[in-house]
Amino acid sequence: MSALAGLIRFDGREAEAADGEAMMSAMSRYVADDVRTWRDGPAFLGCRIRWITPESVGERMPDGDAGGAWGGRLRIVADAILDNRADLFERLEVPTVRRSSVTDGELILLAYRRWGRLAPTHLIGDFAFMIWDETRKELFGARDLFGSRSLYYHIGTGRIAFATTMAPLLALPDIGGRLDETWLAEFMAIPEMFESTDAGATPYIGVRQVPPGHSVVFADGRASFEAYGSIEPAGPLLLRSDGEYEEAMRDVFGEAVRARLRTHREVAATLSGGLDSGAVAGFAARALLQEGKTLQAYSSVPSSGFADWTPGHAAADERPHISATVRHVGNIDSSYMDFEGISPLSEVDDWIDLLESPYKFFENSHWLKGIHERAGSRGAGVLLTGARGNFTVSWGPALDYYAQLLKRMKWMRLSRELRMFGANKGIGRRRLLSTLGKLAFPALSGGRRGGEEPDLPAMLIHPDFAQRTGVFAKLRGGGGGSSAADPFALRRDKLASLSAANKNGATATKLSLRYGVWERDPTCDLRVVRFCLSVPVEQYVRDGMDRALIRRATKSVLPDEVRLNQRIRGVQGADWIHRAAPMWPHLQDELRRLCSDSAVAGYLHVDRIRAAAAGIGREPRPELAFHPEMRLLLRSVILYRFIKKHA
């Protein structure tokens, strides 16, 4: 893991030492085992290196060996962990005796020597890198398909600069850090978690990012981008039996988990009571046992005194299911973390500083950061998650599949499935049929018809600002989220979304740099994604089970009370208002200041915010945790502080 920075001059001048020093100084807060820089003629490259994998210990990027495999005319800086090393070693004909010492950065460079600009298509893992070709006077780089590591750049007069985070670029004297109003407008108008429809945009004018799944060539002061690769499988996977699909799932997912255990440090994981994180922990703990290691598992639980207000089919406290997984799997050192005294409100300023931007996921922000901090302090090099599992290994929307059967008049199969599903979920047949009718025939049931104006959530953007930027017209044109009309196409859209990848990648990268532990998600391994997209939908929904494939494939991994649970869903972050109660008077004061502050009056819809603040009342009610009005108010506060910081 490395925080990268660099600049190349294309105007005939030498790279200035002061610029390089400013960029490196801006990254000084990130955890590192070594810091190295290299400057020669028009080029400056720098790394703050964190040794995560065994091969990375002692890595000397961007230093090179003129007579060795790195070559004297190529220099690389890479923030990378590759997961298909064995395949690359064979294809690149790396001698067996050398393989244990070859770093991932060196392997990327060898791939570049063999395949040139096509090199990224052969890499699987989390990566962002830049290669300076001294002979061609050309800078080449790429981000992985899922944008797991961030990579920003600035093109100025006679110079191109790049960095893992935005701070090193903003430290350069000619950038300025002015806010991009188009980005701000989209951030406010898009109801989903991602920030912008422009995958290259950032909150700052002049600072851009290389989009996920893209390579870039900087030469002669210009940038040329090219998309590479695809998440699509070669074709549908047609196996002979259910058992073969289950075995195939265990094989591909197990390999993805094992690949992410490659560290000379400890291995940690986030663990909830659900299928995704439970499956990750189950496969990881068993594999680590062979290495003589124990999996560190961290679980967020409600703070003391919290009364669970969630409905009967939900649970804010997942400890019963978590403890069942820990007992069944074994080799797990579990930690239940209540983060007493910490709330999303207390963490706003730190998150803005960490992400270098506003954010939307405030309900879970306190435990996301807290778990990374604890795992890093206990010596973990890798923190496993199952964040994207809902669209890959544990996908399986039963009701939507049954609606398809209804539309296709597959009566016998539908009748059998509904009988079993109703028994598993505790739902009556009449209620199920009513729900399916609305899903299958929304026009007949009064649902929104195609082409109608979508129902917009309570927006915090000022109407005049929205009109001036034309943001709603742009979003109606298809840029504000998935255009998919059904969950089966939506799944692909979500997995391929560059905007969602940017949000996920920026959060994971910057948390890892701050706390020295690399977040890794085997549910989003490229091989896992392609496998899951190739599996017939009937494997995901069958015998009255949603998420059926992972439930069957983990029969020997997870306890039945977790594996077969279809009645209770964990709800993380449900206690955030309870946590924030001591700060409630301060929140109300800040909202009043916000509504009278001229610095944000042209951006935020203060009348709408004022009405929402009055509507929630003076006393915090925990059951409002996920209410649209509360979401509007907290996002308003986050934006207010971000804008004020840069006013």
Side-chain angles (χ1 to χ4, degrees):
M1 180 171 72
S2 298
L4 315 177
L7 59 89
I8 308 293
R9 299 209 66 96
F10 290 102
D11 57 2
R13 296 170 55 189
E14 292 190 354
E16 296 183 12
D19 287 342
E21 291 169 1
M23 297 182 79
M24 295 303 293
S25 177
M27 300 193 300
S28 61
R29 59 181 174 167
Y30 301 141
V31 176
D33 296 305
D34 195 11
V35 181
R36 294 193 173 271
T37 61
W38 172 83
R39 185 167 63 95
D40 184 32
F44 166 82
L45 302 174
C47 287
R48 288 186 63 85
I49 306 172
R50 175 70 164 169
W51 298 326
I52 298 292
T53 65
E55 306 82 20
S56 68
V57 177
E59 189 172 20
R60 295 174 58 84
M61 285 188 303
D63 291 354
D65 178 3
W70 293 78
R73 308 306 293 174
L74 296 177
R75 299 274 176 170
I76 186 171
V77 284
D79 183 19
I81 295 183
L82 300 181
D83 297 321
N84 63 330
R85 285 169 58 89
D87 174 62
L88 290 171
F89 285 147
E90 292 298 321
R91 298 174 68 191
L92 294 169
E93 301 174 331
V94 177
T96 303
V97 296
R98 286 202 58 226
R99 294 179 182 182
S100 63
S101 62
V102 174
T103 67
D104 289 332
E106 183 176 0
L107 201 48
I108 292 171
L109 196 56
L110 292 172
Y112 179 71
R113 286 189 176 279
R114 171 70 61 88
W115 296 301
R117 295 179 185 178
L118 295 178
T121 64
H122 300 276
L123 309 177
I124 294 176
D126 303 347
F127 60 82
F129 65 86
M130 283 290 190
I131 296 172
W132 168 235
D133 188 327
E134 297 180 68
T135 302
R136 296 182 180 181
K137 303 301 180 187
E138 183 176 282
L139 189 65
F140 174 80
R143 285 177 73 189
D144 68 76
L145 273 176
F146 299 106
S148 304
R149 309 305 286 177
S150 53
L151 184 59
Y152 302 93
Y153 69 93
H154 168 74
I155 301 177
T157 303
R159 182 198 66 203
I160 289 170
F162 67 88
T164 301
T165 61
M166 291 181 268
L169 302 178
L170 296 172
L172 295 172
D174 60 335
I175 295 184
R178 291 181 297 128
L179 297 183
D180 185 333
E181 291 192 343
T182 299
W183 189 95
L184 284 176
E186 290 198 20
F187 178 92
M188 287 187 271
I190 294 172
E192 298 183 63
M193 282 294 175
F194 66 89
E195 293 104 358
S196 173
T197 59
D198 180 355
T202 78
Y204 305 99
I205 293 173
V207 177
R208 303 278 295 174
Q209 57 184 320
V210 178
H214 280 68
S215 61
V216 60
V217 177
F218 294 109
D220 299 323
R222 296 187 299 272
S224 174
F225 296 90
E226 185 172 351
Y228 71 86
S230 170
I231 66 170
E232 291 298 324
L237 181 65
L238 303 177
L239 302 179
R240 291 175 297 181
S241 68
D242 291 350
E244 289 189 1
Y245 282 105
E246 294 158 18
E247 184 178 0
M249 166 68 90
R250 287 190 292 269
D251 286 346
V252 70
F253 186 55
E255 173 56 30
V257 173
R258 288 190 296 273
R260 284 159 176 77
L261 305 180
R262 189 164 58 91
T263 178
H264 68 286
R265 303 177 187 273
E266 297 300 314
V267 177
T270 59
L271 181 60
S272 71
L275 288 169
D276 297 320
S277 64
V280 170
F283 280 98
R286 292 186 175 189
L288 287 171
L289 187 61
Q290 306 303 313
E291 300 180 25
K293 288 184 176 182
T294 299
L295 179 67
Q296 300 175 0
Y298 299 97
S299 306
S300 173
V301 297
S303 60
S304 61
F306 171 69
D308 193 349
W309 56 267
T310 59
H313 62 270
D317 190 342
E318 299 183 70
R319 270 175 284 203
H321 286 106
I322 295 169
S323 60
T325 295
V326 171
R327 288 193 306 270
H328 184 87
V329 172
N331 197 40
I332 296 177
D333 177 13
S334 61
S335 297
Y336 297 108
M337 305 181 67
D338 61 11
F339 303 104
E340 201 67 41
I342 299 175
S343 77
L345 271 179
S346 67
E347 302 296 287
V348 170
D349 289 335
D350 201 30
W351 267 106
I352 290 174
D353 181 59
L354 185 144
L355 291 176
E356 309 168 295
S357 72
Y359 59 97
K360 299 180 179 181
F361 50 86
F362 61 87
E363 295 97 337
N364 297 317
S365 59
H366 65 285
W367 65 260
L368 282 172
K369 188 163 72 69
I371 286 178
H372 278 79
E373 184 176 15
R374 178 69 64 84
S377 69
R378 289 189 61 191
V382 168
L383 177 65
L384 302 174
T385 78
R388 302 296 291 278
N390 284 344
F391 294 111
T392 57
V393 295
S394 69
W395 186 73
L399 292 179
D400 292 294
Y401 174 61
Y402 298 156
Q404 277 199 350
L405 294 181
L406 178 61
K407 291 172 69 174
R408 292 157 52 194
M409 295 184 287
K410 301 291 185 180
W411 307 121
M412 293 184 63
R413 185 187 302 174
L414 177 62
S415 178
R416 177 178 180 274
E417 285 287 339
L418 288 184
R419 184 180 69 255
M420 299 178 76
F421 184 76
N424 290 339
K425 297 282 286 187
I427 302 175
R429 184 180 180 87
R430 180 175 298 179
R431 180 180 164 193
L432 282 174
L433 286 172
S434 174
T435 301
L436 292 184
K438 295 175 183 178
L439 286 172
F441 309 106
L444 297 179
S445 61
R448 195 176 76 230
R449 294 172 173 81
E452 291 183 357
E453 185 74 17
D455 295 329
L456 296 175
M459 291 295 180
L460 54 85
I461 187 171
H462 194 286
D464 292 342
F465 183 44
Q467 184 176 15
R468 176 160 58 86
T469 56
V471 64
F472 289 138
K474 180 178 180 181
L475 298 183
R476 282 194 297 269
S482 171
S483 60
D486 65 82
F488 307 98
L490 175 66
R491 178 195 192 193
R492 278 179 158 80
D493 284 0
K494 291 290 187 182
L495 288 170
S497 169
L498 301 184
S499 299
N502 272 338
K503 189 273 292 182
N504 296 332
T507 303
T509 299
K510 293 168 186 180
L511 282 169
S512 73
L513 294 176
R514 171 76 69 87
Y515 299 112
V517 55
W518 189 306
E519 181 180 312
R520 308 223 61 208
D521 182 5
T523 69
C524 203
D525 181 290
L526 180 58
R527 296 161 296 189
V528 169
V529 171
R530 287 174 175 165
F531 168 82
C532 290
L533 290 177
S534 74
V535 172
V537 64
E538 291 80 9
Q539 289 294 324
Y540 290 107
V541 182
R542 66 183 312 148
D543 300 332
M545 287 194 299
D546 58 6
R547 307 168 183 244
L549 183 54
I550 195 171
R551 295 185 193 277
R552 290 156 31 218
T554 56
K555 186 174 182 178
S556 64
V557 178
L558 294 176
D560 285 354
E561 57 203 283
V562 172
R563 184 176 68 90
L564 301 180
N565 171 35
Q566 290 185 255
R567 298 200 177 193
I568 304 295
R569 293 289 298 272
V571 182
Q572 294 160 332
D575 67 334
W576 83 261
I577 289 183
H578 170 76
R579 291 177 175 278
M583 299 181 68
W584 212 253
H586 300 288
L587 171 63
Q588 292 179 315
D589 288 343
E590 185 167 15
L591 288 169
R592 282 191 287 269
R593 293 195 303 274
L594 182 161
C595 290
S596 61
D597 195 324
S598 60
V600 297
Y603 296 125
L604 299 175
H605 194 342
V606 294
D607 291 339
R608 183 72 186 82
I609 295 168
R610 190 178 289 114
I616 63 170
R618 298 185 61 84
E619 297 297 325
R621 289 176 289 158
E623 66 271 17
L624 293 177
F626 303 115
H627 195 280
E629 301 288 77
M630 286 307 310
R631 184 170 287 118
L632 179 143
L633 292 176
L634 263 292
R635 289 184 182 180
S636 297
V637 167
I638 292 167
L639 261 172
Y640 176 55
R641 294 193 190 180
F642 176 76
I643 293 171
K644 287 288 287 183
K645 182 177 180 180
H646 295 86

